[in-house]
Every structure is written in structure tokens, then in C-alpha cells.
């Protein structure tokens, strides 16, 4: 086990340092601080001492994340606010800061470790190598899932046994993940980028098509990465949590957020929403807790007002659902309504600025015309995108509604599985877009 974790740790640091070795200092510092803070919290007998050590973890992790991700955002916002009030202020405080890949993920992961120890729901480990491997585990390091120590750390502390079943399961997840990324997401990105990066030359129909394509782009991109990460983890004998559960079949916005980026949604629920009072407070405070949680979630996604508005709209959606509906909703009509509502929020998530987002929303309802279908030499791009999306939707429709009822007979199941994944691999190489595109969530 010790050798396994040393190899895992070295591999993870090589992986992360390959992009920029300087940021290894940050992840190492985060690891060291929370390792020792966890031990001190556990040893402390008085609540006051536990609180002091917990504050060390919070200040360090949030301070680290805040400086690299939000320093310029807050400085720019402050200067713009003063200028709007009539004070002429030059922004001489801005810094040229490179955002370290994955910092939003591993700071949340280590912070939750300290919080769980402080709550008494987790005992700290005294094995520093294993803890460092948990923090830096490379498959999920840069874009999640955001793992809890209670799930992943015990697996790392124990010796892993590799089985053919885990390897086969991991490879299948990776293949489907590459399909989502290369065929669905990267092909949809061609049309999405052409429209959203040239807003003035497109109309409402083009924006509608591009926004729907973006809904599948971001899903294919992020869910694809998560599946690849989960699949690679299985090759190491480790099980990561499920991060997506067919979110576009949700019949309400609340259900959508139980299916989308599950590791982050549950993180905010456990460490922000519930500490604020959750739904145990009076109704007004309960609705406030919902809104603030999603506002913070929006800010987590990016240092831009578009993300803040995106989070605020989702919070308002949930408040409206809470006030208007008492029973759980279901049915295809509710699924369609939820999909439309979520797509309106994606406009703010994808738009390059608030002004462009407002322009796009306005044109969707007022400026109609023949949609943009691609350049003269690439008119097939939207068609291939629709084909890829159709395959994804049909596959997930079957799993959502019929998976427990329809399956191949046991004697031919291996052949059917081999045939199915051979087709997927063929589509990856035939329809996949191969280039230098990175995963969307690398920027967060």
C-alpha cells in the first residue's frame, strides 16, 4: 500500500507540474496546512481551540482561492463602482495573475476535510503520504469530482486489488466519456463559438440553436471529463462518486441541481446551505439561504458578473418553485419546461459579457430570421452536431426510462457490449473533433 501511494503521489505531482511546476507549491502548501490543521483540531479539547484551528484552514484556503481567482475581479468592480459615482479612479492595483488549474477543486476538497474533522464526523489520518495522494489524485484533480475524504481517503489508506471487472468498467466509462467530449462537446463548440463570439451578426433563432448546442456542449464536456476521471480511477482500484445523473431529464430546477455536478451541489449543501440554517429556518430565511447558496455557487464558477447573475437566476428559480409547487413534479412537459429554463441561464454562463447576454436574450424574443448554419465549407457541422446530440439523448432516454426493463440476453450480452462500444469508438474517430481544445471547467 505504501509503495502504491508513493507512485500515485509522484504521478499526480508530475501530472500537475507538467502544466506549470510553480503551482506545485500551492497544492503542497494546501496539503501541508490542512494535514496539520486536521491533527490539531482533533487533538484540541476545548471548542475555542478547535475553532481557532478551523479558522486557519478557512482563511488559508479561501484566501488562496480568493487571491488567485477573485483579486482582480473585486479590484475592477470597486474601480468601476467609484467611476460610476463620479470619482475618476485609475486601476493601478490590478495584477497579472495566472489562475492555477484545479485550484477551485482541491481547495474545496482539503477544506471539507478540516470541516468534517471539526464536526466530529471524520478522524484525521496520520499518514501524510496517503493524505497528499488524496488531495492531488490526478484523474479528478483539475476538474473534479470534488471528493470527500470520508469516501476517497479510506480507499487510499488501504491496499488496492486490481480486478478485470474494474478495469473493464473503467475502460467503458472512459470510452463514453471521450464520446461526450470529442463528439458531442467539441463538435457543438464549433457552432456555439461561431455565434457567441460574433454576437452582432446573428439573430434570435441562431442564438436559440447555439444555446441549446451549448447546453449539450457543457454537459458533454464536463460529464465527459467526470466519466474519464472515474474510469481512470477504477484502473487504480479506486471508486469516485458519480458526478452527473442525466440532468436534462430533470422535471424541475431543484431536481436538475440534484443531478448536475453532484459533487459540487452536495458540497454547497453540506458546507454552505445547511450551516446557514438550510430549510430548518423560518420560510423567509430558508429562501434567503437558497438564494445566497446559489449566488456563491455562481461566483465559484468564475470571477465575472455573468456567473454571479447565472447563480442568482438559479436561486430565484428555486425560490419560485418552493413558493409555487408543493409536490414533486414529473412528466415530459415539466422536463421540457425545465430544459428551457436552464437554457436561459446558460446564456449568462456562456456570454462574454453581461451586455452581450442581455442582447442575446432580447434577440431570442424579438429578432427572428434564418439561423446561421456554418461557413460555406462547413455546412455539415450543425448536422453532425445534431446527430451526436441525438445519439446522446436516445442513449440517456433509454437509461432513464427503460434501462431496468430492456437488456440483452445473458448469453449474448458480451457480444452486444463489444459491438456497442466498437460503434462508439468508430464514431469517436469519425465524428470526433481533435485539436487543442481544453475542458471548459479547467478555467474554474
Amino acid at each position: 500500500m505504501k509503495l502504491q501511494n508513493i507512485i500515485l503521489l509522484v504521478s499526480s505531482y508530475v501530472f500537475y507540474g507538467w502544466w506549470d511546476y510553480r503551482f506545485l507549491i500551492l497544492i503542497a502548501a494546501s496539503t501541508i496546512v490542512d494535514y496539520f490543521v486536521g491533527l490539531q483540531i482533533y487533538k484540541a479539547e476545548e471548542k475555542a481551540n478547535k475553532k481557532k484551528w478551523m479558522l486557519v484552514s478557512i482563511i488559508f484556503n479561501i484566501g488562496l482561492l480568493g487571491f488567485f481567482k477573485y483579486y482582480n475581479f473585486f479590484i475592477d468592480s470597486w474601480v468601476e463602482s467609484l467611476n460610476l459615482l463620479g470619482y475618476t479612479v485609475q486601476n493601478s492595483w490590478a495584477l497579472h495573475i495566472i489562475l492555477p488549474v484545479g485550484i477551485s477543486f482541491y481547495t474545496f476538497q482539503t477544506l471539507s476535510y478540516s470541516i468534517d474533522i471539526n464536526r466530529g464526523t471524520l478522524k484525521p489520518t496520520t499518514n501524510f503520504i496517503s493524505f497528499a495522494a488524496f488531495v492531488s489524485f490526478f484523474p479528478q484533480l483539475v476538474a473534479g469530482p470534488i471528493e470527500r475524504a470520508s469516501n476517497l481517503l479510506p480507499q487510499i489508506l488501504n491496499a488496492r486489488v486490481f480486478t478485470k471487472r474494474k478495469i473493464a468498467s473503467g475502460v467503458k466509462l472512459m470510452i463514453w466519456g471521450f464520446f461526450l467530449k470529442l463528439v458531442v462537446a467539441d463538435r457543438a463548440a464549433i457552432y456555439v463559438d461561431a455565434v457567441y463570439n460574433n454576437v452582432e451578426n446573428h439573430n434570435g433563432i441562431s442564438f436559440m440553436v447555439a444555446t441549446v448546442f451549448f447546453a449539450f456542449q457543457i454537459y458533454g464536456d464536463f460529464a465527459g471529463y467526470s466519466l474519464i476521471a472515474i474510469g481512470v480511477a477504477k484502473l487504480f482500484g479506486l471508486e469516485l462518486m458519480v458526478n452527473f445523473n442525466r440532468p436534462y431529464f430533470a422535471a424541475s430546477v431543484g431536481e436538475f441541481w440534484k443531478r448536475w455536478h453532484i459533487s459540487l451541489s452536495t458540497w454547497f449543501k453540506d458546507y454552505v446551505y445547511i450551516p446557514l440554517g438550510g430549510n430548518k429556518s423560518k420560510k423567509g430565511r430558508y429562501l434567503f439561504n437558497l438564494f445566497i447558496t446559489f449566488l456563491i455557487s455562481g461566483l465559484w464558477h468564475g470571477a465575472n458578473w455573468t456567473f454571479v447573475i447565472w447563480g442568482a437566476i438559479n436561486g430565484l428559480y428555486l425560490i419560485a418553485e418552493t413558493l409555487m409547487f408543493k409536490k414533486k413534479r414529473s412528466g415530459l412537459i415539466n422536463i421540457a419546461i425545465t430544459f428551457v429554463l436552464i437554457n436561459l441561464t446558460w446564456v449568462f454562463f456562456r456570454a462574454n459579457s453581461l451586455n452581450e447576454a442581455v442582447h442575446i436574450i432580447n434577440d431570442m424574443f424579438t429578432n427572428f430570421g434564418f439561423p446561421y448554419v456554418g461557413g460555406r465549407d462547413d455546412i455539415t457541422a450543425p448536422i453532425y452536431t445534431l446527430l451526436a446530440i441525438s445519439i446522446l439523448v436516445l442513449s440517456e432516454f433509454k437509461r432513464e426510462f427503460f434501462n431496468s426493463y430492456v437488456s440483452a440476453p445473458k448469453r449474448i450480452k458480451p457480444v452486444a457490449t463489444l459491438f456497442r462500444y466498437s460503434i462508439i469508438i468508430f464514431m469517436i474517430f469519425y465524428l470526433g473533433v481533435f485539436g487543442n481544445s481544453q475542458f471548459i471547467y479547467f478555467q474554474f
Side-chain angles (χ1 to χ4, degrees):
M1 181 270 290
K2 185 176 181 180
L3 180 60
Q4 285 181 328
N5 290 342
I6 290 173
I7 294 172
L8 191 61
L9 178 60
V10 171
S11 301
S12 296
Y13 269 63
V14 169
F15 172 84
Y16 192 66
W18 201 269
W19 176 64
D20 192 325
Y21 69 91
R22 293 172 297 177
F23 293 126
L24 288 173
I25 298 172
L26 298 179
I27 193 170
S30 186
T31 301
I32 293 168
V33 167
D34 282 288
Y35 173 77
F36 284 105
V37 163
L39 292 174
Q40 294 303 318
I41 291 174
Y42 189 72
K43 291 177 182 177
E45 295 181 357
E46 297 181 4
K47 286 187 176 180
N49 289 332
K50 289 180 181 290
K51 185 177 181 180
K52 288 177 183 177
W53 284 109
M54 189 64 246
L55 284 173
V56 172
S57 178
I58 292 173
I59 292 171
F60 178 82
N61 285 290
I62 300 302
L64 192 70
L65 182 61
F67 176 75
F68 281 94
K69 192 168 183 176
Y70 303 109
Y71 174 81
N72 283 337
F73 170 68
F74 288 123
I75 290 296
D76 290 342
S77 298
W78 178 67
V79 170
E80 288 176 10
S81 299
L82 289 177
N83 287 333
L84 286 174
L85 292 172
Y87 299 96
T88 303
V89 179
Q90 298 297 324
N91 189 353
S92 58
W93 297 279
L95 300 175
H96 296 288
I97 301 172
I98 301 174
L99 180 66
V101 171
I103 191 171
S104 297
F105 293 88
Y106 69 73
T107 51
F108 269 28
Q109 192 157 301
T110 58
L111 182 58
S112 67
Y113 172 79
S114 300
I115 295 173
D116 286 347
I117 295 171
N118 186 54
R119 289 177 173 177
T121 59
L122 181 71
K123 289 185 177 181
T125 179
T126 56
N127 189 323
F128 179 76
I129 296 296
S130 296
F131 179 73
F134 155 71
V135 174
S136 63
F137 184 48
F138 74 89
Q140 48 86 225
L141 172 62
V142 293
I146 302 171
E147 277 295 336
R148 305 293 178 85
S150 57
N151 174 50
L152 184 56
L153 188 54
Q155 298 181 63
I156 293 176
L157 287 168
N158 296 319
R160 273 88 68 191
V161 178
F162 302 97
T163 64
K164 290 182 180 179
R165 186 174 182 178
K166 280 189 176 181
I167 292 172
S169 175
V171 170
K172 286 190 288 187
L173 288 173
M174 290 167 64
I175 291 172
W176 188 242
F178 282 120
F179 173 83
L180 292 180
K181 169 60 178 171
L182 297 171
V183 180
V184 177
D186 286 356
R187 189 157 286 283
I190 298 172
Y191 188 90
V192 173
D193 291 346
V195 173
Y196 268 84
N197 292 337
N198 196 15
V199 170
E200 295 299 327
N201 295 324
H202 294 286
N203 58 50
I205 302 298
S206 292
F207 291 136
M208 290 180 188
V209 174
T211 302
V212 171
F213 278 14
F214 178 69
F216 287 98
Q217 179 196 351
I218 192 171
Y219 175 57
D221 195 283
F222 196 19
Y225 181 92
S226 293
L227 287 174
I228 294 168
I230 294 169
V232 173
K234 283 180 178 290
L235 302 184
F236 284 87
L238 299 169
E239 298 286 340
L240 300 181
M241 69 179 296
V242 173
N243 211 21
F244 289 86
N245 182 25
R246 300 181 292 281
Y248 290 137
F249 285 101
S252 67
V253 175
E255 184 186 351
F256 174 85
W257 283 106
K258 292 178 181 178
R259 291 170 173 249
W260 178 277
H261 201 349
I262 298 168
S263 65
L264 181 67
S265 297
T266 55
W267 198 99
F268 275 110
K269 175 187 174 183
D270 292 342
Y271 302 114
V272 177
Y273 175 66
I274 291 177
L276 285 172
N279 58 359
K280 304 299 181 182
S281 310
K282 292 182 180 179
K283 196 165 189 177
R285 178 55 191 256
Y286 157 50
L287 298 177
F288 173 80
N289 295 341
L290 272 178
F291 184 75
I292 289 298
T293 300
F294 273 90
L295 203 64
I296 296 172
S297 174
L299 188 59
W300 178 90
H301 278 84
N304 194 307
W305 285 108
T306 53
F307 295 114
V308 176
I309 298 300
W310 170 80
I313 294 173
N314 276 286
L316 292 173
Y317 280 165
L318 285 174
I319 289 173
E321 285 186 352
T322 302
L323 295 175
M324 295 171 62
F325 304 103
K326 302 298 181 182
K327 296 181 179 180
K328 183 178 179 181
R329 292 183 294 161
S330 60
L332 294 177
I333 293 177
N334 286 319
I335 290 173
I337 292 172
T338 302
F339 182 72
V340 171
L341 291 174
I342 292 299
N343 269 269
L344 289 175
T345 71
W346 287 140
V347 173
F348 290 90
F349 198 98
R350 175 58 182 84
N352 297 314
S353 68
L354 272 180
N355 287 336
E356 288 192 1
V358 173
H359 174 87
I360 290 167
I361 294 288
N362 180 66
D363 275 17
M364 281 183 174
F365 295 96
T366 61
N367 182 17
F368 303 106
F370 193 77
Y372 168 76
V373 294
R376 293 179 180 178
D377 299 326
D378 195 23
I379 199 169
T380 58
I383 297 173
Y384 282 144
T385 303
L386 286 171
L387 175 61
I389 291 173
S390 298
I391 293 168
L392 169 60
V393 171
L394 288 172
S395 174
E396 297 211 336
F397 183 86
K398 173 187 175 295
R399 291 174 61 203
E400 180 72 18
F401 297 106
F402 302 105
N403 205 44
S404 58
Y405 306 103
V406 180
S407 61
K410 191 174 181 179
R411 57 190 175 85
I412 66 168
K413 195 170 184 178
V415 177
T417 299
L418 179 62
F419 177 76
R420 182 167 66 252
Y421 282 94
S422 296
I423 294 297
I424 295 172
I425 292 171
F426 171 78
M427 287 190 293
I428 289 172
F429 284 102
Y430 182 71
L431 294 177
V433 177
F434 296 85
N436 296 319
S437 62
Q438 66 175 13
F439 288 91
I440 293 174
Y441 267 69
F442 279 11
Q443 65 184 295
F444 305 136

